[in-house]
């Protein structure tokens, strides 16, 4: 049994070089100045540390504590740099983590695992839909598995290391759940019950911010059941959604799927990958400590099952019922995001399958075959390179944005973004759709529509205040009567704002991209006074931060064995 | 530990330097604000003439 061992420096550098090369290949366009704004990926120069971002009172905590972390970091580091560091670290550490985790003595097999895990359809699709928080969890996953195995083995200092590698994953609810699942399944052992319990408790506390935020939000715990069908796994080609999931793809959005995934031969590549993984399952079982491979398989299988829930006949109906009646079940709507553990297990098995395949070959030929297999993920999905073939392209915010932010910061009050739309397609960010950056750009409470349009289906949001404003506007009432202090009209988008809606407002700034109106009937007031609920979220976030600090202190104190 | 940290940092630095080097081409190819706005206007007008939907329709998160 080889197990997962520490690598020597000589073994590490090729892994790091390959990981760096993959990172460069994927993120090359980010060398240009500006911000890559694509779907859910929104970075701004300096994100305010507001209560609405730390503990949203009226919406579901999908970005808790991620927004709070970004707000804190961008007080010191500019947003454009944070974006590049986060994305580069996610891809680099995903590759290195998988390469270090695979139980093998062959360098080529490590490199194969590294490239395989950093070049999956899952990573490509979540990058192209801009869910960078999920990519961070994906990158942390092999490190969490490794640390959990060390806890299981009773290694000194393993618990703080596990907490430290799980912390980045827990910046989003999905990542936090994935981290907890790995720890609960892999780290639990009767031989070291105290360490196991400490590890599980630590990861539970890391999840506390979003759990508390979900508990206290005024948005309720249920979601629109229309989202189950809208966000269910999608077939990429003739083979359907289940085969797409088996190949770690199948995200609901056609726009976030690399074009190469629709090629008719892709299902055959998936089949080859599954066969290779099948060949490698035996070596993985033998080389990991007893019982670990079965637990890993359970994690991967569980992830695959969650991803498929929305497309399994009969189950989709149960899921629709659950998202309405079970608080928090809305997390399962876009189930494909739970594929991460499956992707890791698949890559580990496939890498060992390749090793077994070349075991009896002439060493020279074996090297050539491994090199060919190393390039296979890139050959099958070449359009992940160069920022998803040009989809990630940095742009600069027009000067209007800075001017409007300055005016709003001088007089506090609620801001309404019009036209009502959650996502925007700006002329200065051509060919891309992005979540409205205004709530993160302005130091104020910004009301934006939270209805998601997927094709012709409108998936209702949860924010009751937005719902009320939408109702008033639909009745033809002017914005002046909604109680907002400011209105920002965003130009250059297809939708128009009816001038009657803006009656009674004073124009404060009129630019080519934004017009700012002041509502003279509403006095400037601090709208974001924190209540007990928001203090509870802040307390949970502070506790999570303390847990990370304590883990860091403990790991550093054990330097000879840490990392 | 020091060696690991050195390797990790050097790997990340290498990645950043590589991004900067390769991205020179990308930087040169990036349009300015004015060019981007003009590009968008042209695309919108072309779609209008062809009777196709506006390519910058704002509200659609995605299609299946």
């Amino acid at each position: 049994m080889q197990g997962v061992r520490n690598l020597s420096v000589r073994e590490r550098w090729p892994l790091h070089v390959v990981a760096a090369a993959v990172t460069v290949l994927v993120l090359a366009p980010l060398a240009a100045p500006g911000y890559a704004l694509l779907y859910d990926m929104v970075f701004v120069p300096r994100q305010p540390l507001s209560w609405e971002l730390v503990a949203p009172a009226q919406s579901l905590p999908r970005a808790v504590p991620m927004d709070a972390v970004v707000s804190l970091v961008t007080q010191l580091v500019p947003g454009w740099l944070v974006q590049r560091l986060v994305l580069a670290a996610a891809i680099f550490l995903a590759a290195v983590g998988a390469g270090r985790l695979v139980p093998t003595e062959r360098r080529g097999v490590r490199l194969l695992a590294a490239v395989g895990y950093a070049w999956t359809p899952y990573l490509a699709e979540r990058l192209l839909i801009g869910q960078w928080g999920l990519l961070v969890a994906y990158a942390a996953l092999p490190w969490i598995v490794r640390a959990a195995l060390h806890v299981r083995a009773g290694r000194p200092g393993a618990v703080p290391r596990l907490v430290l590698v799980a912390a980045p994953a827990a910046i989003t609810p999905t990542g936090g759940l994935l981290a907890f699942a790995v720890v609960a399944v892999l780290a639990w052992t009767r031989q070291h019950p105290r360490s196991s319990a400490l590890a599980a408790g630590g990861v539970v506390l890391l999840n506390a911010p979003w759990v508390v935020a979900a508990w206290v939000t005024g948005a309720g715990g249920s979601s629109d059941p229309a989202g189950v069908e809208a966000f269910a796994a999608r077939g990429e080609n003739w083979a359907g959604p289940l085969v797409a999931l088996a190949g770690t793809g199948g995200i609901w959005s056609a726009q976030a799927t690399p074009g190469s995934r629709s090629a008719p031969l892709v299902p055959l590549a998936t089949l080859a990958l599954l066969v290779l993984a099948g060949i490698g399952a035996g070596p993985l079982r033998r080389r990991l400590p007893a019982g670990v491979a079965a637990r890993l398989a359970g994690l991967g299988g569980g992830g695959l099952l969650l991803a498929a829930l929305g497309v399994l006949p009969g189950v989709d109906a149960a899921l629709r019922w659950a998202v309405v009646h079970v608080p928090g079940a809305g997390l399962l709507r876009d189930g494909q995001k739970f594929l991460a553990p499956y992707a890791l297990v698949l890559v580990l098995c496939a890498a060992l399958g390749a090793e077994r395949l070349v075991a009896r070959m002439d060493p020279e030929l074996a090297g050539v075959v491994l090199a060919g297999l190393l390039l296979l993920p890139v050959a099958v999905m070449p359009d992940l390179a160069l920022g998803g073939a040009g989809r990630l392209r940095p742009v600069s915010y027009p000067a209007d944005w800075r001017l409007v932010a300055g005016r709003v910061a001088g007089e506090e009050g609620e801001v309404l973004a019009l036209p009502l739309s959650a996502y925007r397609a700006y002329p200065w960010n051509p060919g891309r759709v992005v979540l409205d950056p205004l709530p993160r750009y302005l130091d104020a409470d910004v009301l934006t529509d939270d209805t998601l349009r997927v094709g012709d289906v409108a998936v209702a949001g949860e924010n009751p205040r937005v719902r009320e404003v939408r109702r008033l506007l639909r009745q033809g009432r002017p914005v002046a009567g909604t109680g907002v202090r400011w209105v920002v009209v965003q130009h250059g988008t297809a939708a128009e704002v009816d001038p009657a809606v803006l009656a009674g407002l004073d124009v404060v700034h009129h630019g080519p991209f934004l017009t700012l109106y002041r509502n003279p009937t509403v006095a400037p007031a601090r709208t974001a006074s924190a209540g007990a609920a928001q203090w509870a979220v802040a307390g949970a976030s502070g506790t999570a931060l303390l847990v990370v600090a304590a883990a860091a202190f403990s790991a550093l104190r054990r330097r000879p064995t840490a990392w | 530990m020091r060696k690991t940290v050195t390797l990790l940092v050097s790997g990340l630095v290498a990645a950043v330097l590589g991004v900067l080097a390769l991205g020179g081409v990308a930087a040169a190819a990036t349009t300015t604000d004015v060019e981007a706005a003009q590009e968008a206007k042209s695309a919108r007008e072309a779609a209008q003439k062809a009777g196709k939907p506006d390519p910058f329709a704002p509200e659609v998160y995605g299609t299946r």
Side-chain angles (χ1 to χ4, degrees):
Chain A
M1 187 183 74
Q2 284 171 281
V4 179
R5 62 176 180 82
N6 289 324
L7 304 184
S8 66
V9 175
R10 203 185 155 91
E11 286 171 301
R12 279 178 202 164
W13 76 261
L15 188 57
H16 290 189
V17 168
V18 166
V22 170
T23 308
V24 167
L25 195 55
V26 174
L27 298 180
L30 291 192
Y35 299 82
L37 303 173
L38 185 64
Y39 292 108
D40 295 341
M41 183 142 43
V42 177
F43 282 89
V44 297
R46 189 180 176 190
Q47 190 166 300
L49 193 57
S50 68
W51 276 111
E52 202 48 40
L53 293 175
V54 173
Q58 301 289 321
S59 52
L60 290 179
R62 295 190 175 94
V64 173
M66 186 173 81
D67 271 333
V69 172
V70 174
S71 291
L72 276 174
V73 174
T74 54
Q75 302 305 307
L76 304 169
V77 184
W80 65 265
L81 185 57
V82 175
Q83 179 177 42
R84 281 152 181 80
L85 288 175
V86 162
L87 291 178
I91 298 175
F92 179 80
L93 292 175
V96 173
R100 292 185 68 166
L101 185 64
V102 65
T104 181
E105 293 299 322
R106 289 192 76 131
R107 182 199 294 170
V109 177
R110 286 196 190 285
L111 300 184
L112 185 59
V115 175
Y117 192 62
W119 207 279
T120 54
Y122 181 93
L123 184 141
E125 291 170 359
R126 292 296 159 180
L127 178 65
L128 295 182
I129 205 166
Q131 292 172 352
W132 62 269
L134 206 53
L135 289 187
V136 170
Y138 181 79
L141 204 59
W143 299 88
I144 298 171
V145 169
R146 182 183 164 82
L149 294 181
H150 288 170
V151 170
R152 197 177 169 77
R155 283 207 195 181
V159 173
R161 287 200 298 272
L162 173 60
V163 170
L164 281 181
V165 293
I171 60 170
T172 60
T174 305
L177 281 176
L178 286 173
F180 178 73
V182 172
V183 172
V185 172
L186 286 186
W188 185 256
T189 170
R190 285 180 188 168
Q191 277 78 40
H192 309 285
R194 189 168 167 271
S195 297
S196 303
L198 265 177
V203 178
V204 165
L205 287 177
L206 292 179
N207 278 283
W210 71 265
V211 174
V212 174
W215 190 265
V216 299
T217 181
S222 63
S223 308
D224 186 350
V228 171
E229 193 183 342
F231 299 125
R234 166 184 169 273
E236 300 165 329
N237 41 52
W238 56 269
L242 291 178
V243 174
L245 290 174
T248 80
I251 195 169
W252 62 270
S253 169
Q255 286 75 31
T257 306
S260 57
R261 297 302 297 171
S262 59
L265 289 180
V266 162
L268 297 183
T270 302
L271 183 67
L273 180 67
L274 291 173
V275 169
L276 208 55
I279 296 170
L284 185 71
R285 186 175 55 79
R286 287 191 294 276
R287 292 177 189 180
L288 289 178
V292 167
R295 288 167 188 246
L296 265 179
L299 274 172
L304 186 61
L305 185 66
L306 285 178
L309 282 182
V311 291
L312 292 177
V315 183
D316 54 342
L319 194 55
R320 268 195 295 276
W321 177 88
V323 298
V324 176
H325 296 100
V326 181
L331 264 173
L332 301 174
R333 290 195 310 193
D334 176 12
Q336 192 262 1
K337 63 191 171 192
F338 290 104
L339 265 189
Y342 167 78
L344 181 60
V345 176
L346 186 71
V347 167
L348 292 179
C349 287
L352 292 178
E355 182 182 8
R356 200 171 170 187
L357 201 68
V358 301
R360 290 184 185 174
M361 287 183 189
D362 171 71
E364 210 167 283
L365 180 64
V368 172
V369 172
L370 279 180
L373 288 172
L374 188 78
L375 295 175
L376 201 59
V378 185
V380 171
M381 193 176 59
D383 43 356
L384 169 59
L386 301 176
R391 293 198 214 181
L392 281 181
R393 192 169 69 168
V395 292
S396 299
Y397 285 99
D400 268 356
W401 285 69
R402 193 169 36 81
L403 294 171
V404 166
R407 296 305 296 262
V408 170
E411 284 179 43
E412 293 183 41
E414 203 173 27
V415 181
L416 175 65
L418 291 178
L420 279 180
S421 178
Y423 287 79
R424 311 273 182 195
Y426 296 113
W428 46 269
N429 188 24
R432 292 163 192 84
V433 174
V434 65
L435 185 67
D436 192 341
L438 216 52
R440 288 173 174 82
Y441 204 106
L442 303 189
D443 190 4
D445 283 357
V446 181
L447 288 176
T448 56
D449 196 6
D450 56 354
T451 303
L452 301 175
R453 297 196 66 88
V454 177
D456 296 331
V457 178
V459 182
E462 299 89 9
N463 190 324
R465 174 74 173 125
V466 172
R467 204 178 304 142
E468 179 203 342
V469 170
R470 192 189 302 115
R471 186 179 56 79
L472 291 172
L473 294 181
R474 276 188 185 156
Q475 288 171 354
R477 306 257 297 271
V479 174
T482 59
V484 298
R485 170 69 178 163
W486 299 102
V487 176
V488 178
V489 175
Q490 306 197 33
H491 306 299
T493 59
E496 297 293 332
V497 178
D498 183 354
V501 162
L502 304 169
L505 302 178
D506 300 333
V507 176
V508 174
H509 168 85
H510 182 70
F513 298 104
L514 300 177
T515 299
L516 176 67
Y517 296 86
R518 183 192 286 119
N519 185 355
T521 63
V522 176
R526 184 154 194 90
T527 51
S529 55
Q534 287 174 306
W535 278 110
V537 179
S541 301
T543 307
L545 208 58
L546 276 178
V547 169
V548 174
F553 178 74
S554 175
L556 284 173
R557 207 163 49 87
R558 298 170 189 267
R559 269 180 69 176
T561 55
W563 308 104
Chain B
M1 178 186 173
R2 188 178 295 170
K3 283 179 182 172
T4 311
V5 171
T6 309
L7 269 174
L8 204 66
V9 171
S10 59
L12 279 173
V13 169
V16 171
L17 288 178
V19 165
L20 287 173
L22 268 185
V25 180
T30 303
T31 52
T32 64
D33 289 354
V34 177
E35 287 167 341
Q38 187 56 44
E39 190 184 322
K41 194 179 168 196
S42 310
R44 182 169 286 153
E45 284 169 357
Q48 217 168 17
K49 277 182 190 166
K52 289 181 179 171
D54 190 325
F56 303 116
E59 72 276 16
V60 177
Y61 185 19
T63 55
R64 288 182 57 82

